[in-house]
Amino acid sequence: MGLPALAWKRRLDTPVVELTEFKPTLREILEMLPMGVRLWKFCRSEHEQGRRAPIDPFYPQDTPASSCQGVPLGGIGGGSIGRGFRGDFSRWQLLPTVCQTSAVLADQFSVFITRHSKDGTTQKTSSVLFPGEPVFESKETESGISSWNWNLTGVKSTYYGLFPRAWTTYDGEPDPQMKITCRQVSPFVPHNYKESSFPSCVFIYELVNTGDEDATATLLFTWANSIAGGSETSGGHENSPFMKEEHSVTFAIAARETDDVSTSVCPCFLVAGSPEGNSYQTAKDMWSEITEKGCFNAKNSTMSASLSQPETVVGAAVAASVVVPAHGTKSITFGLAWDSPKATFLGGSSYYRRYTKFYGKSGNAASKLVHDAILNYKRWESEIHAWQEPILNDHSLPEWYRYTLFNELYYLVAGGTIWTGMNMKRIYTTLLCDLSFSDTCRQACLAQKLNPVKSNGVSEALLDAINANSEAQSFWSIGIPAVEDNVGQFLYLEGVEYHFWNTYDVHFYASYALLALFPRLELQLQRDFAAATLSHDPEKMFYLAYGNTGIRAVFGSVPHDLGTHDPWNTLNSYNLHDTSKWKDLNCKFVVQVNRDAAATGDLEFARAVWPAAYAAMAVTDQFDRDGDGMIENDGVPDQTYDLWTVDGVSSYCGGLWVAALQAASALADLVGDKPSSRMFHGKFLRAKAVYEKSLWNGSYFHYDKNSTSVQSDQLAGQWYSLASGLPGIVREDQATSALGTVFATNVMRYKGGNEGAVNGMLPSGGEDRTSLQSREVWAGTTYAVAAAMIQQGMREEGFRTAKGVFLNGWSDQGHGYAFQTPEAWDNDGKYRSLAYMRPLSIWAMQWALDPPEQLKQRSCSVEVGDITAQEVEACNKSFAKLASQLKELSPPEAKAYSSVWIWMFDYIRSRVYPRG
């Protein structure tokens, strides 16, 4: 396949600049100083225990952040390796939460070209295919890789990035009469739940000889035995003719041999370190051998090597040679794969990765993975092409949008992603402990650990009780997806610098990408949060923002995240605030599961998550302090803007509450709980009226009761309702006016509309500087606001809003954030938190442009059936009873927890899963 018509482009000689992180103002520093001191103490404590805190601004990266990223390698969740646009392999994420940003300079492609002229002279050209000569460390001696020919200037070479593929053209360099194109392909294929998990990548080199003589070309692929970060010098590494091991990681590099292409290997050479006392060929000798002969000695193919010594770095190489006839074309195919079968977390839990279901768990599958990648990449490309072409060829869409839409997906590979082959019965059996229906099951359950998610197993007596109970068996069939292939569990980090798994308030924005491309993974993630919501963990937590204490997880409260060092088992690693008091998390859960159920048409999923959604609504209802039907914020940063104080009724959280009530009504109707559907619909109408009366000023909705600031994200509830196929939560004219105000104020008045939508603006003009976050632009929020505008018929304004992210982050004139879009930047373009989850929300724009057919056909009103007033009143009493019981969980006691569950058993049995 030729070069893409649309792609992100960079010339290889483009200067790489060091990125600049934002600096808080003096006022902000003073305001945050107490929290900063507590955070420093917490980070120090974590370091003393051999861990890194999830947010640790005091621990620098191994290399400074720079503008050199490109399309990452590999599928989803098997570990990823970054590859910069200059050809360097960096940003290694092969171990959970560990991101080594430094490049391993020995990992390179190099070219050697020999031409025999008619006059009998021979001309040889060789170079590493990397522009310029890097700065080498002292350990890389004259016999090491510094002795290679680093001759490429990059002036005539161009990189094209269109995730999950990339192209690099070397147009007449290093050989003026040879045009070389490298095509990089990874197995990221939407709706393919098998091959998209494979940790492999293929590089296809096409060589076009424009000269009048035949040319012999050899391409060399070298690879160090390293996962970066100094791991290469630890010693004890072993190479073999096909693969090599690094702790629990095995790599394989390969080239395909054909009738035209011959291959040879150097199983082991010395990358760096003293050659004295080592039996390895030096990097310099290896390079000289290829330069002179164009191949390696045949005896290398059977050679084995001893374990490497400390302070030495070893590597391997594979060479592929072909004669390219005058004015002819030939191709060479290389493959790379790695096998790290088990993801082991610092908390002690380990899970096998998804791909091990197909390649085994022994850790020696790299050779088979690379073999299969080379054989199957053409089919991957065909399927990727079929997926992307309709959008790339849609000329009604801006050019920058068409390729940036795909490139932002880099995060599903390079976001620390882990895709396990975990048996879901582990979570759903423990959840079933508490959702059992008979007294026998209930008593057996209460004998287990308090937290159902934390339980590592269940007793044989409990399993026997479940197996003997038809109602429990019925729930089991709902808890486990009714498909033959269990897709496993999915984790991704909030950011490469923020180590929380599946941060839920941020997934609210990012989830559109997963739902559109891998919907079964999205549903499984939501099932995990449903299980986590119906759990309770009384472990004491110290919260850094105000120095107060609380408990780790409260029944009915959606956790901020699924943990850090022991995901799924120890929830809520976030410890700045007590997120059980946040006003957005529960609402976001309800609107998301409603959207996902409607978009996929999966009724079993809807029934499985409904109890958690109901409990989440009961918890949130407690935040209606004055009983008017609308929740209030508590005068602290109790939502995703966790440094931006909000008080009373607010446009963001209040709108999400109104949207959640409507979503709860729709979800209840979907699962057949008609009384609850009618009850929530009534609450929705009441809250909607309070929302408008409290905040609408005729042009937009005020930030909260104390502030008239224009918040860019003020209509998040409206956005989600329409994205779910439901009516809006505000009138059409109000939505259009509010978003028009956001466009005029937060977009066009801010830096000329070229940096996205700033979070807060004063109605008179100027940034809202009440907090660090109010004056920031959030890339992911900007995309979400653009999606809301498109839904509202403001297509031109939506694309103009989102273009600011492109201009600031991806364009030639931007700040170099391509393939590492940060969470935020300030008015100088300085970043906070590179490589962040939220910008995946660009897929919300595509969702708004082309929603699923199921949502287009969804009823414009919530059908609740013929429900009597008495039934609705009884439902209201039940809801109030649960809310009352939930209050007993603070302080947490096992007795209170058990009483809540007993009520939930009865609710589930009578409403959702009736007898008979």
Side-chain angles (χ1 to χ4, degrees):
M1 294 184 179
L3 294 175
L6 289 176
W8 181 80
K9 301 176 186 178
R10 281 294 181 277
R11 236 171 57 177
L12 266 61
D13 65 337
T14 301
V16 174
V17 298
E18 190 171 319
L19 304 181
T20 306
E21 197 166 4
F22 85 107
K23 294 289 191 296
T25 65
L26 178 60
R27 179 181 62 82
E28 290 165 350
I29 291 173
L30 293 175
E31 289 177 349
M32 295 187 294
L33 186 59
M35 179 178 69
V37 171
R38 288 187 282 266
L39 177 60
W40 176 78
K41 290 180 178 179
F42 172 68
C43 293
R44 184 183 62 179
S45 173
E46 289 293 285
H47 278 296
E48 290 173 351
Q49 299 179 59
R51 302 190 297 253
R52 183 175 179 180
I55 299 178
D56 189 349
F58 310 104
Y59 185 82
Q61 296 188 77
D62 54 332
T63 57
S66 63
S67 60
C68 62
Q69 299 303 319
V71 175
L73 311 179
I76 302 173
S80 72
I81 301 171
R83 190 171 188 233
F85 70 82
R86 298 183 302 166
D88 51 316
F89 294 85
S90 60
R91 190 163 278 174
W92 300 72
Q93 298 180 88
L94 302 181
L95 306 175
T97 72
V98 176
C99 178
Q100 300 289 356
T101 57
S102 58
V104 178
L105 292 176
D107 298 348
Q108 299 288 348
F109 285 99
S110 303
V111 65
F112 305 79
I113 298 172
T114 302
R115 293 181 181 274
H116 300 287
S117 301
K118 294 178 181 179
D119 60 6
T121 61
T122 298
Q123 180 182 358
K124 291 189 176 185
T125 304
S126 63
S127 180
V128 179
L129 292 177
F130 179 87
E133 185 169 355
V135 176
F136 297 100
E137 298 181 15
S138 58
K139 65 185 179 184
E140 288 153 344
T141 63
E142 292 183 359
S143 62
I145 62 173
S146 61
S147 64
W148 296 354
N149 295 340
W150 302 82
N151 298 327
L152 197 76
T153 66
V155 173
K156 297 181 179 180
S157 301
T158 306
Y159 178 89
Y160 302 79
L162 183 64
F163 179 88
R165 296 180 292 168
W167 296 254
T168 307
T169 60
Y170 308 89
D171 195 357
E173 63 170 340
D175 183 312
Q177 294 180 310
M178 187 74 74
K179 181 177 180 178
I180 305 172
T181 300
C182 172
R183 189 165 84 255
Q184 169 188 313
V185 183
S186 289
F188 182 101
V189 183
H191 307 287
N192 182 331
Y193 294 86
K194 178 181 179 180
E195 290 168 301
S196 294
S197 71
F198 291 175
S200 58
C201 185
V202 178
F203 306 90
I204 308 95
Y205 279 85
E206 183 179 84
L207 300 99
V208 179
N209 184 2
T210 61
D212 295 329
E213 305 93 12
D214 294 353
T216 300
T218 297
L219 282 164
L220 178 70
F221 188 12
T222 53
W223 197 260
N225 202 327
S226 169
I227 56 174
S231 62
E232 63 270 23
T233 61
S234 61
H237 303 158
E238 181 179 6
N239 291 6
S240 70
F242 198 82
M243 57 188 175
K244 50 189 184 301
E245 299 179 358
E246 163 61 36
H247 301 298
S248 60
V249 182
T250 305
F251 295 103
I253 58 175
R256 185 170 192 175
E257 190 165 82
T258 67
D259 292 340
D260 295 330
V261 178
S262 61
T263 63
S264 58
V265 299
C266 174
C268 194
F269 68 89
L270 189 65
V271 174
S274 174
E276 297 180 8
N278 280 298
S279 59
Y280 313 126
Q281 187 180 31
T282 67
K284 182 178 182 179
D285 292 340
M286 182 274 295
W287 185 271
S288 297
E289 182 178 3
I290 285 290
T291 302
E292 180 181 348
K293 301 177 180 178
C295 64
F296 293 115
N297 193 314
K299 69 179 182 180
N300 286 344
S301 61
T302 58
M303 184 182 72
S304 60
S306 58
L307 297 180
S308 67
Q309 300 300 312
E311 303 306 317
T312 63
V313 184
V314 295
V318 58
S321 301
V322 66
V323 175
V324 188
H327 305 289
T329 302
K330 292 291 182 177
S331 64
I332 295 174
T333 302
F334 291 94
L336 167 67
W338 53 96
D339 183 12
S340 179
K342 188 181 291 187
T344 300
F345 297 90
L346 288 179
S349 297
S350 296
Y351 308 97
Y352 286 104
R353 299 182 191 265
R354 164 74 171 170
Y355 73 88
T356 62
K357 179 174 181 178
F358 314 105
Y359 284 92
K361 303 173 181 178
S362 63
N364 61 1
S367 59
K368 185 69 166 67
L369 279 160
V370 77
H371 171 271
D372 291 351
I374 290 174
L375 292 182
N376 294 316
Y377 79 88
K378 290 183 179 179
R379 176 170 49 78
W380 299 345
E381 274 201 295
S382 177
E383 293 172 2
I384 292 167
H385 180 81
W387 158 49
Q388 294 184 335
E389 279 305 290
I391 294 173
L392 293 174
N393 290 333
D394 186 349
H395 294 281
S396 69
L397 302 173
E399 281 194 6
W400 64 265
Y401 169 79
R402 283 181 263 165
Y403 60 85
T404 305
L405 176 72
F406 295 109
N407 281 336
E408 288 285 16
L409 291 172
Y410 84 92
Y411 197 79
L412 288 180
V413 169
T417 314
I418 293 175
W419 185 357
T420 79
M422 182 195 301
N423 183 350
M424 285 187 297
K425 290 185 179 182
R426 178 179 176 278
I427 282 183
Y428 283 102
T429 299
T430 54
L431 177 59
L432 192 57
C433 293
D434 288 323
L435 288 183
S436 307
F437 295 88
S438 69
D439 289 339
T440 303
C441 289
R442 186 179 303 161
Q443 293 303 317
C445 166
L446 295 179
Q448 299 291 306
K449 293 182 179 180
L450 186 61
N451 185 342
V453 177
K454 271 195 146 181
S455 302
N456 290 320
V458 293
S459 66
E460 291 296 326
L462 177 58
L463 288 174
D464 291 341
I466 291 170
N467 291 331
N469 187 278
S470 60
E471 292 177 22
Q473 286 292 309
S474 175
F475 181 81
W476 180 278
S477 68
I478 293 162
I480 301 295
V483 293
E484 291 183 5
D485 183 20
N486 181 335
V487 298
Q489 318 292 124
F490 176 81
L491 295 172
Y492 63 157
L493 292 172
E494 178 179 334
V496 172
E497 299 175 22
Y498 292 178
H499 295 168
F500 305 104
W501 294 114
N502 295 358
T503 298
Y504 200 75
D505 56 309
V506 184
H507 181 71
F508 170 78
Y509 297 86
S511 60
Y512 285 87
L514 208 59
L515 179 58
L517 306 177
F518 296 93
R520 286 162 60 191
L521 281 183
E522 165 67 8
L523 297 189
Q524 184 52 47
L525 185 152
Q526 300 291 8
R527 289 172 186 268
D528 289 346
F529 271 94
T533 300
L534 297 178
S535 68
H536 194 78
D537 187 346
E539 179 187 344
K540 287 290 185 181
M541 293 278 286
F542 178 75
Y543 296 109
L544 305 177
Y546 300 107
N548 58 319
T549 59
I551 63 174
R552 181 174 289 278
V554 177
F555 172 86
S557 294
V558 176
H560 170 274
D561 56 81
L562 292 183
T564 293
H565 300 312
D566 197 6
W568 294 298
N569 295 318
T570 303
L571 309 172
N572 274 331
S573 288
Y574 177 90
N575 63 346
L576 293 185
H577 300 277
D578 182 353
T579 59
S580 70
K581 295 179 171 59
W582 276 18
K583 309 305 182 292
D584 61 337
L585 284 169
N586 284 14
C587 298
K588 287 175 174 177
F589 174 71
V590 176
V591 298
Q592 280 189 75
V593 297
N594 169 64
R595 177 203 60 187
D596 295 354
T600 62
D602 192 330
L603 182 59
E604 288 189 351
F605 166 76
R607 295 177 71 189
V609 300
W610 172 238
Y614 188 96
M617 293 301 291
V619 166
T620 311
D621 190 65
Q622 298 178 55
F623 300 129
D624 175 11
R625 313 296 189 191
D626 55 11
D628 65 350
M630 170 54 66
I631 63 170
E632 291 88 30
N633 292 86
D634 291 331
V636 295
D638 50 2
Q639 26 77 52
T640 193
Y641 299 89
D642 56 359
L643 295 176
W644 193 0
T645 296
V646 58
D647 196 11
V649 180
S650 68
S651 57
Y652 184 71
C653 293
L656 286 172
W657 171 242
V658 177
L661 288 167
Q662 181 177 229
S665 178
L667 191 60
D669 185 61
L670 194 62
V671 302
D673 188 353
K674 302 297 183 180
S676 291
S677 181
R678 174 63 64 85
M679 175 194 69
F680 283 120
H681 189 65
K683 288 178 177 291
F684 159 69
L685 294 175
R686 187 179 178 208
K688 179 180 177 182
V690 176
Y691 183 70
E692 177 180 343
K693 181 180 178 181
S694 301
L695 300 172
W696 178 248
N697 69 0
S699 298
Y700 65 94
F701 292 87
H702 290 170
Y703 176 71
D704 65 8
K705 74 174 187 179
N706 298 323
S707 172
T708 60
S709 285
V710 183
Q711 183 180 13
S712 63
D713 211 5
Q714 62 184 265
L715 286 186
Q718 170 84 358
W719 163 48
Y720 245 82
S721 292
L722 294 180
S724 305
L726 297 175
I729 65 167
V730 300
R731 299 194 315 265
E732 288 288 315
D733 63 303
Q734 290 175 326
T736 302
S737 175
L739 290 172
T741 301
V742 168
F743 180 72
T745 305
N746 301 57
V747 179
M748 299 309 296
R749 286 190 194 173
Y750 184 80
K751 307 289 286 187
N754 294 326
E755 297 214 12
V758 67
N759 285 335
M761 284 285 278
L762 302 176
S764 58
E767 306 164 32
D768 181 335
R769 302 183 72 85
T770 56
S771 80
L772 181 151
Q773 291 175 339
S774 62
R775 65 177 178 88
E776 288 181 324
V777 173
W778 287 8
T781 296
T782 297
Y783 285 143
V785 172
M789 290 175 177
I790 292 171
Q791 284 179 165
Q792 214 60 46
M794 303 167 63
R795 183 183 172 112
E796 183 177 344
E797 293 90 338
F799 281 118
R800 184 67 183 84
T801 296
K803 188 176 182 179
V805 178
F806 170 79
L807 292 173
N808 190 64
W810 291 84
S811 73
D812 291 342
Q813 296 75 38
H815 291 275
Y817 297 143
F819 301 102
Q820 52 185 337
T821 313
E823 157 72 321
W825 48 74
D826 63 11
N827 59 10
D828 293 322
K830 297 176 181 177
Y831 75 90
R832 178 172 63 80
S833 184
L834 277 178
Y836 196 80
M837 179 198 296
R838 204 183 316 250
L840 283 168
S841 59
I842 193 173
W843 278 85
M845 295 176 65
Q846 192 61 26
W847 190 273
L849 291 164
D850 186 21
E853 197 61 37
Q854 300 95 306
L855 298 185
K856 296 177 185 177
Q857 299 173 357
R858 197 174 192 188
S859 173
C860 292
S861 61
V862 179
E863 299 292 338
V864 295
D866 186 17
I867 306 298
T868 66
Q870 290 82 0
E871 288 175 302
V872 175
E873 178 60 25
C875 195
N876 264 304
K877 289 181 179 179
S878 295
F879 187 73
K881 178 180 178 182
L882 176 59
S884 175
Q885 288 181 322
L886 287 169
K887 292 179 181 179
E888 299 178 28
L889 292 178
S890 184
E893 295 179 358
K895 181 179 180 182
Y897 174 75
S898 301
S899 69
V900 170
W901 269 116
I902 291 171
W903 185 92
M904 285 296 291
F905 298 146
D906 295 335
Y907 168 79
I908 296 167
R909 179 168 54 195
S910 63
R911 289 273 167 71
V912 185
Y913 316 117
R915 296 178 185 275

